Amino acid sequence: MEPLQIAGILKDRFPEEVKEIKEFRGQVSVVVKRDRIIDLIKFLKEEPEIQMDYLRDLTAVDWLGKKVPRFEVVYHLYSIKFRHMIRIKAEVPEEDPVIDSIVPLYAGANWHERECFDMFGIQFRGHPDMRRILLPEDWEGYPLRKDYPLEGYRDEREWSGFKEVLKIAKENRKYDWYGEER
Amino acid sequence: MSDTVIKDIASSRKEEIRSGFKTKELVLSMGPQHPSTHGVLRLVLELDGETVVKCTPYVGYLHRGTEKLCENRTYLNALPLSDRLDYIVSMANNVGYVLAVERLFGIEAPPRAKYIRTIVSEMARISGHIIWLATHALDLGAMTVFLYSFREREWILDLFEHLCGARLTTSYPRIGGVRNDVTEEFLDSLYEFTEEFPKRIEEYETLIDQNRIWLQRTKGIGVISAEEAINWGLTGPVLRGSGVPYDVRKFAPYDAYPWVDFEVPVGKNGDVYDRYRVRMQELRQSTRIIRQCIERMPKGPIMAPDAPKFTLPPKERVMSDMESLIHHFVLITKGPIAAPEGEIYSAIEAPKGELGFYIVSDGTGKPYRLRLRSPSFVHASVLPRLCEGHLVADVIANIGTIDIVLGECDR
């Protein structure tokens, strides 16, 4: 089935939820509200003519200062049987960055959602294990947000583990050949 | 003694032992630098005797923020970062990245460049699978294979060095083509390799195929059904071992793959042994693809000639032609500023599985958002599913069979 057809079916089925359908280079994005995201993806997964059984990717985009609401959670769904793909983008506002987890539908979403939380600070409601995954537990800030500096924070928000290393390096400097000054 | 027998004895004796002794679960922290974890992976295993009750992987020790770095670099400058993802098969990552950017810009590489890129991605696949075989067999106690397979890997790396000067961090493909044309010596040497390599594959197989220890440690271990494997998002040989013929090279052909003949080998049982068989067959198919590419490669340009705003002009033109100089200057300093606004998801079949790039462009020379969907990250997440309820010795087999590289997993 053509991706635009799938988007049309989705629009008929969820007229309240689907906000916009866009096409670029043959790939179709459907912008939706976040409230019924589980129903929507479940429909795509279980409808016999669509059967999106494989979650290719799950991530988020930060549109700081460019769009309101600020975040978009992006799902790439693919059907191995019918070989068609669709992109679902759910809008998530900055004040309340929460969306329902789709781990009950796709087991593979588990780590993707954890990474999304780790990098963007978006909470996934109903996720079995909502912890940071790539960064340490006591890391401050969400690095892939656009207002997070590329070099990280250089003030008291710097990661405690790194501050410890710096402290030890400073202490060890007194054993250095050139003395503490260098 | 097979596992089932061990388990039967274990379950019948369990109550007897429990009543006699006070036992408690043991928590074993494996890694970050355990010899049989590939890279810096840490597993916390809760053990009840020899059985794994709970397995919790911890990743992120190699996290370098590649996605954030890419967002702060131009499209051309971000290419070397893709080398550092899966550093064993950097050529395949390069191809995946340039292909995603080309699709975003709407340009296409000329046929000769497509053939060259197909050749180098298949060489990367061979080198990646060889490393996998070597380390996986070493983990399971078959040391000889390691020495044999590194011999062939050396050959591939020498060829890479001949082609582009680098052995590991190649950065050879360019947006719109490849950096330099292949030489006749390179093609001759590669053709010799494709003649010799099938014999070498047989050598590996004679070493372990009939080995009883190998068979016992791989057959029936780490079984995952086709539906479950799809649900977990597994791709590549791990999925094909379960009998799903999903291969991006066939499902959404790119570069020269639609023009060559090859088969997609699939397994049946979805265990460690079937995934091993799938990878060995893939080595043969890769050799076949390379040979066809060499035979059919047309003459012609190696960079897209009709997209001066996106591809670097040839050096001699920069020195003589004003237009080219301007394009070169703008491309290097500001990036391809004529990039269209939009978003694209582009995937390739990397040796480990589906390597996807999701690029959001806002019309400037830098990607607004670049997401890497790496196969190793998804495969590492399935470890608890494969390990829990099985013996602690099978953890090693499971880590090996999903073929993860932590540079790609942590990005």
Side-chain angles (χ1 to χ4, degrees):
Chain A
M1 206 186 286
E2 289 299 310
L4 270 176
Q5 262 178 291
I6 301 170
I9 294 174
L10 205 62
K11 173 101 187 158
D12 291 344
R13 184 70 196 261
F14 299 92
E16 300 282 298
E17 302 295 311
V18 176
K19 291 177 78 174
E20 205 184 343
I21 295 170
K22 278 186 283 189
E23 194 188 5
F24 182 73
R25 305 246 189 262
Q27 298 187 352
V28 173
S29 321
V30 183
V31 184
V32 301
K33 292 180 192 163
R34 63 171 166 165
D35 305 329
R36 289 182 63 198
I37 188 75
I38 287 211
D39 297 342
L40 216 130
I41 289 179
K42 196 171 181 179
F43 169 74
L44 287 175
K45 190 186 173 195
E46 285 168 6
E47 181 74 11
E49 281 175 15
I50 302 175
Q51 284 191 27
M52 299 284 191
D53 48 359
Y54 163 40
L55 176 77
R56 274 188 134 169
D57 191 20
L58 190 162
T59 186
V61 181
D62 179 7
W63 292 102
L64 177 66
K66 297 203 170 190
K67 272 189 201 170
V68 177
R70 180 175 166 184
F71 297 109
E72 265 173 359
V73 177
V74 186
Y75 305 85
H76 285 92
L77 301 170
Y78 189 78
S79 164
I80 288 184
K81 189 174 175 195
F82 297 113
R83 306 189 180 189
H84 49 221
M85 189 182 90
I86 198 161
R87 180 184 301 127
I88 306 287
K89 304 205 284 184
E91 294 181 327
V92 176
E94 186 181 357
E95 315 79 56
D96 175 34
V98 181
I99 191 166
D100 287 325
S101 163
I102 59 160
V103 176
L105 296 174
Y106 299 98
N110 189 326
W111 278 27
H112 286 312
E113 287 182 351
R114 273 178 73 187
E115 194 196 347
C116 211
F117 164 69
D118 196 358
M119 295 294 158
F120 289 93
I122 296 169
Q123 292 273 357
F124 288 84
R125 202 185 295 129
H127 189 282
D129 187 20
M130 197 83 259
R131 286 180 295 128
R132 281 191 184 268
I133 182 161
L134 294 176
L135 299 176
E137 289 281 313
D138 52 348
W139 192 273
E140 273 203 45
Y142 302 103
L144 279 183
R145 288 190 175 185
K146 287 285 173 188
D147 49 4
Y148 190 93
L150 177 62
E151 295 187 348
Y153 296 123
R154 283 276 174 269
D155 47 19
E156 71 279 354
R157 284 172 293 180
E158 194 156 49
W159 182 46
S160 58
F162 187 55
K163 275 191 268 188
E164 243 167 66
V165 172
L166 288 181
K167 213 175 115 199
I168 294 168
K170 203 178 169 192
E171 277 170 15
N172 285 351
R173 215 168 284 163
K174 65 183 170 216
Y175 304 112
D176 199 37
W177 186 269
Y178 298 100
E180 261 174 274
E181 282 73 35
R182 201 170 154 262
Chain B
M1 212 187 305
S2 73
D3 290 344
T4 46
V5 180
I6 294 174
K7 265 176 214 158
D8 287 346
I9 296 173
S11 55
S12 64
R13 291 267 178 88
K14 217 170 218 171
E15 281 313 302
E16 202 181 316
I17 295 168
R18 283 248 166 90
S19 56
F21 300 97
K22 273 191 177 171
T23 58
K24 61 176 181 181
E25 280 173 10
L26 174 75
V27 178
L28 178 73
S29 181
M30 189 172 148
Q33 294 283 15
H34 193 275
S36 62
T37 60
H38 297 199
V40 264
L41 169 72
R42 178 171 171 236
L43 294 178
V44 174
L45 305 170
E46 284 176 28
L47 304 176
D48 177 13
E50 279 231 55
T51 316
V52 179
V53 181
K54 195 168 187 296
C55 162
T56 320
Y58 287 84
V59 295
Y61 292 95
L62 275 180
H63 181 62
R64 292 146 297 175
T66 309
E67 291 176 12
K68 184 90 174 171
L69 283 171
C70 286
E71 286 166 20
N72 288 280
R73 273 166 170 67
T74 63
Y75 286 101
L76 283 82
N77 284 349
L79 173 68
L81 292 174
S82 68
D83 284 336
R84 276 83 180 164
L85 291 175
D86 183 352
Y87 33 77
I88 295 169
V89 295
S90 51
M91 210 54 120
N93 305 333
N94 294 155
V95 172
Y97 175 74
V98 296
L99 209 70
V101 178
E102 279 172 12
R103 281 177 179 159
L104 175 73
F105 292 167
I107 59 177
E108 203 166 334
R112 187 174 175 87
K114 284 188 171 180
Y115 273 103
I116 296 174
R117 292 207 302 220
T118 310
I119 289 177
V120 293
S121 358
E122 289 309 313
M123 284 167 73
R125 190 181 316 280
I126 290 177
S127 128
H129 281 359
I130 285 177
I131 287 268
W132 165 81
L133 178 71
T135 51
H136 185 41
L138 187 67
D139 288 349
L140 295 184
M143 183 147 183
T144 327
V145 191
F146 187 86
L147 303 171
Y148 274 70
S149 42
F150 264 66
R151 184 182 56 186
E152 272 70 65
R153 177 179 142 84
E154 196 60 24
W155 195 342
I156 295 245
L157 292 188
D158 283 344
L159 283 169
F160 276 156
E161 195 178 0
H162 185 127
L163 179 65
C164 62
R167 288 160 66 84
L168 287 175
T169 49
T170 47
S171 291
Y172 171 65
R174 287 288 180 277
I175 296 161
V178 291
R179 195 179 83 201
N180 55 289
D181 207 343
V182 290
T183 58
E184 281 299 316
E185 297 94 74
F186 172 81
L187 290 181
D188 288 346
S189 178
L190 187 60
Y191 202 79
E192 198 191 324
F193 176 81
T194 59
E195 279 172 345
E196 183 66 25
F197 189 58
K199 288 177 223 155
R200 304 282 172 94
I201 301 173
E202 275 165 29
E203 262 180 44
Y204 309 148
E205 287 178 341
T206 50
L207 283 172
I208 46 179
D209 243 13
Q210 305 290 320
N211 187 324
R212 279 170 60 193
I213 303 173
W214 174 263
L215 294 180
Q216 287 221 335
R217 292 209 63 183
T218 55
K219 280 204 166 170
I221 306 295
V223 181
I224 191 159
S225 70
E227 290 79 40
E228 213 177 344
I230 296 174
N231 196 257
W232 274 96
L234 303 183
T235 46
V238 185
L239 178 64
R240 291 194 283 275
S242 300
V244 185
Y246 176 68
D247 187 321
V248 185
R249 292 176 295 174
K250 285 279 188 202
F251 276 55
Y254 55 94
D255 279 350
Y257 287 111
W259 308 324
V260 292
D261 300 323
F262 65 99
E263 283 153 27
V264 177
V266 289
K268 251 192 299 195
N269 308 322
D271 58 0
V272 176
Y273 183 74
D274 274 24
R275 294 192 273 268
Y276 153 73
R277 291 300 325 158
V278 166
R279 287 194 177 98
M280 295 311 274
Q281 290 306 323
E282 274 185 16
L283 285 176
R284 293 197 169 88
Q285 296 299 329
S286 292
T287 324
R288 213 175 131 196
I289 296 173
I290 292 177
R291 187 183 275 242
Q292 289 175 44
C293 283
I294 296 175
E295 281 161 359
R296 296 179 189 174
M297 198 193 300
K299 292 241 175 321
I302 49 160
M303 280 290 255
D306 52 345
K309 286 185 172 171
F310 300 118
T311 57
L312 286 171
K315 213 53 172 196
E316 60 274 9
R317 288 265 303 282
V318 178
M319 296 305 171
S320 58
D321 179 31
M322 190 65 199
E323 279 286 293
S324 299
L325 180 66
I326 293 169
H327 287 315
H328 189 272
F329 180 76
V330 172
L331 271 174
I332 295 295
T333 52
K334 290 186 174 164
I337 46 171
E341 264 185 64
E343 57 199 321
I344 195 114
Y345 178 86
S346 158
I348 62 149
E349 186 72 23
K352 310 262 183 300
E354 177 180 326
L355 176 69
F357 290 84
Y358 171 56
I359 305 180
V360 181
S361 159
D362 61 346
T364 59
K366 296 172 182 174
Y368 185 74
R369 168 95 175 94
L370 193 146
R371 153 83 176 163
L372 296 159
R373 184 257 188 233
S374 56
S376 296
F377 185 72
V378 182
H379 291 178
S381 77
V382 84
L383 264 178
R385 155 70 186 77
L386 293 180
C387 294
E388 280 169 16
H390 296 276
L391 296 179
V392 71
D394 296 338
V395 173
I396 312 298
N398 285 328
I399 295 173
T401 189
I402 54 171
D403 194 10
I404 49 175
V405 163
L406 271 293
E408 182 183 57
C409 177
D410 301 343
R411 280 155 288 154

